Amino acid sequence: MTTNTILLLLLSLVIAGGLSFFQYFFKAKNKSNVISFLAFLRFLAIFGLLLLLINPIMTKNALEVTKTPLAIAVDNSSSITALKSDKKVTELYQKLISNPALKEKFEIQSYQFDADFKPSEQFDFKGKQTNLDEVAKNLKSINKNLIFPTVIITDGNQTTGNDYVYRFDPVNKVYPLVVGDTTTFFDLKINQLNVNKYAFHKNKFPVEVFLQYAGDKNTTANFTISQGNTVVAKESVSFSPSKKTATLNLLLPADKVGLQIFKASISSNLKEKNSYNNIKNFAVEIIDQKSTIAIVSVINHPDIAALKRSIEVNAQRKVILAKPNELNLLQDASVLVLYQPNSAFKAIFDNNKLAATNTFIITGNSTDFNFLNQQQKNLVFNMSNQIEDYLTEFQPQFNLFAIDNIGFENFPPLQNLFGTITTNGNVSVLLSSKIRNVSTNAPLLAFAENQGKRTAYLLGENSWKWRLQSHIDNQSFDKYDVFVDKIIQYLATATSKKSLVVTHESFYNSGEAIVINAQYFNKNYEFDEKARLTITVTNAATKQSKNYDLLKGNNSFSVNLDGLTAGKYNFSVKELNSNTSYSSHFEILDFDIEKQFVNPDVLKLKQLALQTNGKAFFENQADELIQQLLENKEYKSIEKNISTKTPLIDWVWLLILIAALLTTEWFVRKYNGLL
């Protein structure tokens, strides 16, 4: 409180006392106790009013203690149950959170993780995947800029996500609490099986198998791949204490068209604790033809290589590279990708007027836009010679095919000549352009259809940077490659218009997300947001059926069928208003990745502890872990002085008190006949 405020308060005391004295004692003949009481009431009321006028700032100091967070993350995946450690995990968790000394020293944070990560104090151990990478990523965000310890109660067997050893912040110690029997049991395991999703009829397709052995004796195992009752491949594999792994590369015949289910298995004459990981089912769709995509260009550019890689991720696609004068190479092409066309492409455009092959035109700094204006009428280009960078803006109302926003706004800009681009006729825009975050309302990726011929336009070069950025954002090229595949699929598909388009896979592994997407179009072939879509899924063996509603997204409807058991299923999608329907089938392969483990991954958890300067503990060492956390002097509570300043005018009770004093004074005077 300042000196001026103190002087004003003293002056207020004098004024309040003087006015009270003048009111009740100056020239007063009667100086009874009632008068004195009334003078006191008047003094308090006037002083209170003067206090409000002065409005001094009241400062309140309080001590606040901030404890160090202690993150306890519990593995909620079904592998904990498979290793018969679910009760032990719950017991260890309760022991940690109920320890009085830990609660005194730390702010305990409880989490669970399987495929996802979330706060929780109850665990059911039914998670279908284990992702320790999610623990690292989320804890960095939750306790940002803090030094804190993390206890992870887990078996360390990760089934999805990035390798967790180097994902945790090395500044913050991690203490894995390892659960599960670490005794080495005899075990043969199909650790991984790699096979292409598609193969071509009358060819052979490769299968790569990684086998793993746990034990202390020499043994010989038999590995077989069978289809139904027929063995299609068989090999004998030897293991020893010094040879724990084996890799097999096999070629299987693609004799039958359609979805083919195979079973890989490994066995020996010795009994195993876990035989579930001896078998792995896999499926391959055998197709009898391959569509050819021709990329035509007169220049070399990294866009071409990136586009070729994205297209050929789908085994049904084959990419050929050609020059504009190599017309003989283009006869069997399903789609022509014309990269930065100029006058050298005239023969291709002339030939395609009769062939009517769907085209994908990509422009850039080397494009002859005057020539392009002469060869097509969907877009009108009025361009300068100045190079400009164009950012992307996703258009969610796009409805030609189902597509999600894969982070287009974060992609690097494409380069194209500066100018105006206007649409002519029926053109659908998926991506529009921005210049320095200012929308131009001009297309960047657009689609047109005229008299049965489809054309796509990507107006800018350097889309190879998009693919790299997508990998940085998602640690995978998958999302970008699916985006390119949908463009090619749209161009390669016959132009007959269907009102109900359903997208699904032929097979799924149990534990994977089973998502079916659908689009319904009205008579004008516009996406109908008011459509009512349902799906009936029937188990082919038991004939049991389940009905689901498809939920609307940005430009499609979808349903998640997680929870279905392994087996063959028939399904039918129906639009209720028009009774339009689509029927097909899929198969769920029996594979529970969480049942593949016999022991906890002690080695990797110890690596994680070493990487973060922590220490790994086993389930019988919980007391030692608690002791180490308590003795660690890095984790101290922080005591802060919290100063709160409040203006006196905010004190509502002071106003009430003044009103009460004046009211009391009035009633006393009234009662004593002084009014």
Side-chain angles (χ1 to χ4, degrees):
M1 195 175 294
T2 64
T3 304
N4 288 340
T5 304
I6 294 173
L7 292 175
L8 287 172
L9 290 175
L10 293 174
L11 181 61
S12 299
L13 287 171
V14 172
I15 293 172
L19 289 174
S20 299
F21 177 81
F22 180 81
Q23 177 75 26
Y24 287 103
F25 294 106
F26 187 72
K27 296 183 180 179
K29 298 179 181 179
N30 181 11
K31 298 181 181 180
S32 63
N33 291 333
V34 173
I35 296 299
S36 299
F37 179 65
L38 290 171
F40 180 68
L41 292 176
R42 177 60 62 89
F43 168 77
L44 291 178
I46 295 173
F47 183 65
L49 289 170
L50 292 173
L51 279 179
L52 290 176
L53 290 173
I54 297 170
N55 192 26
I57 304 298
M58 311 301 292
T59 303
K60 180 183 178 182
N61 293 317
L63 291 177
E64 182 181 276
V65 177
T66 303
K67 298 179 182 179
T68 300
L70 169 61
I72 301 177
V74 177
D75 190 338
N76 193 53
S77 66
S78 60
S79 67
I80 298 295
T81 304
L83 294 177
K84 299 180 180 179
S85 298
D86 46 338
K87 292 182 179 178
K88 190 64 180 179
V89 168
T90 304
E91 176 187 322
L92 292 170
Y93 169 74
Q94 291 296 333
K95 187 170 188 175
L96 290 172
I97 65 168
S98 61
N99 185 278
L102 286 180
K103 290 195 289 185
E104 177 68 24
K105 182 175 182 178
F106 296 100
E107 176 199 347
I108 296 178
Q109 302 173 344
S110 297
Y111 304 99
Q112 72 170 37
F113 66 93
D114 35 53
D116 300 312
F117 176 88
K118 62 183 179 181
S120 179
E121 296 180 353
Q122 300 292 329
F123 316 103
D124 58 14
F125 307 106
K126 293 182 179 179
K128 295 180 180 179
Q129 297 270 15
T130 303
N131 191 351
L132 275 156
D133 181 33
E134 282 292 306
V135 181
K137 184 169 62 176
N138 282 277
L139 287 180
K140 283 180 186 178
S141 176
I142 293 169
N143 296 317
K144 195 173 183 179
N145 301 324
L146 293 178
I147 303 298
F148 66 97
T150 300
V151 175
I152 305 178
I153 307 175
T154 182
D155 56 20
N157 293 313
Q158 177 164 283
T159 61
T160 185
N162 297 309
D163 187 348
Y164 61 84
V165 171
Y166 301 101
R167 299 287 288 178
F168 285 81
D169 191 341
V171 174
N172 294 316
K173 291 181 171 62
V174 177
Y175 299 94
L177 190 50
V178 186
V179 295
D181 193 343
T182 58
T183 305
T184 301
F185 297 95
F186 173 77
D187 183 58
L188 293 170
K189 175 184 178 182
I190 301 176
N191 197 41
Q192 187 173 339
L193 189 148
N194 297 328
V195 64
N196 290 331
K197 203 170 187 179
Y198 303 97
F200 300 102
H201 189 219
K202 295 182 180 180
N203 285 343
K204 290 189 175 183
F205 60 92
V207 178
E208 185 179 34
V209 187
F210 296 90
L211 305 176
Q212 187 172 316
Y213 163 70
D216 53 8
K217 297 179 181 179
N218 294 336
T219 188
T220 300
N222 295 316
F223 176 80
T224 61
I225 295 179
S226 58
Q227 185 178 23
N229 296 323
T230 304
V231 175
V232 295
K234 184 176 182 179
E235 284 202 22
S236 180
V237 187
S238 297
F239 295 100
S240 68
S242 60
K243 184 189 176 186
K244 299 281 189 179
T245 61
T247 302
L248 302 180
N249 291 285
L250 307 169
L251 287 174
L252 302 186
D255 295 334
K256 302 175 184 177
V257 175
L259 183 66
Q260 307 299 320
I261 308 297
F262 299 89
K263 181 174 76 172
S265 61
I266 185 171
S267 61
S268 72
N269 55 3
L270 299 176
K271 186 177 180 181
E272 298 182 51
K273 181 182 179 182
N274 180 8
S275 59
Y276 187 89
N277 58 13
N278 289 27
I279 297 173
K280 185 168 287 190
N281 294 314
F282 65 97
V284 177
E285 188 162 2
I286 309 298
I287 53 181
D288 59 359
Q289 62 180 353
K290 193 172 189 177
S291 60
T292 300
I293 312 300
I295 300 179
V296 185
S297 176
V298 294
I299 63 173
N300 294 321
H301 198 283
D303 281 355
I304 298 172
L307 191 60
K308 183 176 186 293
R309 284 180 178 272
S310 292
I311 294 172
E312 290 186 337
V313 165
N314 187 336
Q316 297 181 74
R317 318 267 190 235
K318 176 186 175 183
V319 173
I320 61 171
L321 305 179
K323 299 293 183 182
N325 58 354
E326 297 175 325
L327 295 178
N328 59 312
L329 298 178
L330 310 180
Q331 293 177 358
D332 297 326
S334 303
V335 177
L336 296 177
V337 180
L338 307 181
Y339 188 78
Q340 303 214 33
N342 55 26
S343 57
F345 285 69
K346 188 176 188 308
I348 290 180
F349 279 100
D350 290 343
N351 185 67
N352 202 36
K353 289 177 181 177
L354 296 175
T357 304
N358 292 338
T359 56
F360 185 10
I361 297 174
I362 302 175
T363 68
N365 302 332
S366 301
T367 303
D368 186 340
F369 287 100
N370 291 327
F371 169 77
L372 200 54
N373 279 331
Q374 297 170 7
Q375 301 301 323
Q376 56 79 47
K377 303 301 179 184
N378 299 311
L379 300 178
V380 179
F381 300 94
N382 185 10
M383 314 301 282
S384 67
N385 292 323
Q386 178 185 341
I387 296 175
E388 185 59 78
D389 289 338
Y390 292 91
L391 296 169
T392 62
E393 189 170 12
F394 181 70
Q395 300 298 322
Q397 71 275 11
F398 178 81
N399 59 22
L400 293 185
F401 50 85
I403 188 74
D404 295 324
N405 187 347
I406 60 173
F408 294 108
E409 287 80 2
N410 298 324
F411 285 179
L414 299 184
Q415 279 194 347
N416 205 24
L417 297 182
F418 178 77
T420 58
I421 303 171
T422 55
T423 59
N424 182 25
N426 185 22
V427 177
S428 298
V429 177
L430 173 58
L431 300 175
S432 59
S433 64
K434 296 189 296 183
I435 299 177
R436 289 178 287 278
N437 286 325
V438 177
S439 297
T440 64
N441 296 319
L444 191 68
L445 176 60
F447 300 83
E449 183 173 342
N450 292 309
Q451 298 179 348
K453 180 185 176 183
R454 292 176 174 177
T455 308
Y457 297 86
L458 179 61
L459 306 178
E461 63 180 71
N462 294 332
S463 60
W464 65 271
K465 295 181 180 179
W466 285 10
R467 192 169 189 260
L468 289 183
Q469 184 63 48
S470 180
H471 188 278
I472 292 171
D473 294 341
N474 305 291
Q475 289 78 51
S476 168
F477 293 115
D478 290 351
K479 288 189 175 182
Y480 183 80
D481 291 344
V482 168
F483 158 66
V484 172
D485 185 65
K486 288 192 175 185
I487 296 174
I488 299 301
Q489 179 69 30
Y490 171 79
L491 294 173
T493 303
T495 59
S496 57
K497 297 181 178 180
K498 299 178 181 178
S499 57
L500 181 59
V501 179
V502 180
T503 306
H504 64 95
E505 299 290 345
S506 299
F507 64 90
Y508 303 87
N509 285 318
S510 57
E512 291 181 347
I514 304 172
V515 178
I516 293 178
N517 293 299
Q519 291 179 299
Y520 181 74
F521 299 94
N522 59 24
K523 292 182 179 180
N524 292 329
Y525 205 59
E526 297 170 336
F527 177 66
D528 189 350
E529 297 184 350
K530 298 180 180 179
R532 298 167 57 206
L533 297 177
T534 64
I535 182 171
T536 301
V537 182
T538 305
N539 188 305
T542 65
K543 305 303 180 184
Q544 290 184 337
S545 296
K546 292 184 178 180
N547 295 314
Y548 305 86
D549 290 327
L550 278 76
L551 302 179
K552 181 186 168 297
N554 284 335
N555 56 358
S556 67
F557 295 83
S558 64
V559 62
N560 192 323
L561 302 177
D562 288 358
L564 295 179
T565 58
K568 295 182 179 180
Y569 291 87
N570 301 314
F571 73 92
S572 178
V573 177
K574 187 175 183 180
E575 203 286 313
L576 299 180
N577 295 324
S578 63
N579 286 327
T580 306
S581 64
Y582 170 91
S583 297
S584 188
H585 58 86
F586 61 85
E587 184 163 350
I588 301 176
L589 306 182
D590 183 15
F591 178 68
D592 188 346
I593 195 169
E594 290 290 332
K595 291 182 179 179
Q596 303 297 304
F597 309 104
V598 178
N599 300 111
D601 196 337
V602 178
L603 179 61
K604 187 162 278 191
L605 290 173
K606 284 185 174 180
Q607 288 178 338
L608 170 61
L610 182 65
Q611 175 70 15
T612 59
N613 295 315
K615 184 179 179 182
F617 295 87
F618 295 98
E619 58 186 39
N620 61 346
Q621 296 176 312
D623 291 330
E624 296 177 34
L625 168 60
I626 292 172
Q627 193 64 28
Q628 177 141 347
L629 289 170
L630 294 174
E631 291 177 354
N632 194 317
K633 296 182 180 179
E634 290 182 55
Y635 309 122
K636 296 179 180 179
S637 299
I638 300 173
E639 194 175 76
K640 296 180 181 179
N641 180 36
I642 306 299
S643 181
T644 306
K645 295 184 178 181
T646 307
L648 191 66
I649 200 169
D650 290 343
W651 287 20
V652 177
W653 288 107
L654 182 56
L655 288 171
I656 296 173
L657 177 62
I658 293 170
L661 290 170
L662 293 173
T663 302
T664 304
E665 180 188 357
W666 184 86
F667 275 109
V668 171
R669 293 185 64 181
K670 183 75 173 178
Y671 182 80
N672 290 277
L674 298 176
L675 289 178

